[in-house]
């Protein structure tokens, strides 16, 4: 099952320079049906163009530098996100065999 990092997390992505800060989850490309785990901006520069940010999947994270804020509000959001993105697998696990 998939578990994602919170907003504000700073990572190195395989084959990409510089480091990036996660700013969104489960992002759909505007010109296709492809869905990505994360949207991110260069760190420490931030968003340079509102039309351009990096989209990537969790498996491309090479190094984790910092985990974003984990207060009550963000933990509730991450819990809801976890159940939303894993709902099919969770339903299948509940079915009797």
């Amino acid at each position: 099952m998939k578990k994602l990092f919170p907003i504000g997390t700073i990572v190195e992505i395989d084959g990409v320079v510089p480091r990036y800060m996660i700013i969104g989850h489960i992002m759909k490309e505007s010109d296709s049906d492809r869905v990505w785990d994360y949207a991110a901006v260069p760190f420490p520069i931030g968003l340079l163009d509102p039309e351009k940010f990096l989209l990537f999947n969790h498996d491309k994270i090479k190094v984790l530098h910092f985990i974003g804020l984990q207060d009550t509000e963000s933990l509730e959001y991450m819990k809801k996100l976890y159940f939303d993105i894993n709902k099919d697998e969770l339903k299948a696990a509940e079915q009797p065999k």
Side-chain angles (χ1 to χ4, degrees), residues 82-93:
Y82 174 82
F83 285 107
D84 286 349
I85 63 176
N86 293 298
K87 62 185 168 201
D88 293 336
E89 287 183 56
L90 291 168
K91 277 185 187 176

Side-chain angles (χ1 to χ4, degrees), residues 32-95:
S32 78
D33 288 332
R34 187 154 187 195
V35 177
W36 301 88
D37 292 336
Y38 300 107
V41 295
F43 181 84
I45 301 162
L47 187 63
L48 299 173
D49 180 343
E51 298 294 320
K52 294 184 182 177
F53 41 85
L54 182 67
L55 299 173
F56 65 98
N57 287 323
H58 191 82
D59 63 345
K60 295 298 181 188
I61 295 173
K62 182 176 159 185
V63 178
L64 175 64
H65 287 279
F66 176 82
I67 296 178
L69 180 64
Q70 295 183 38
D71 63 359
T72 303
E73 185 178 10
S74 66
L75 290 172
E76 282 298 316
Y77 166 76
M78 294 304 293
K79 181 179 175 181
K80 181 183 180 319
L81 181 64
Y82 174 82
F83 285 107
D84 286 349
I85 63 176
N86 293 298
K87 62 185 168 201
D88 293 336
E89 287 183 56
L90 291 168
K91 277 185 187 176
E94 291 176 355
Q95 299 296 324

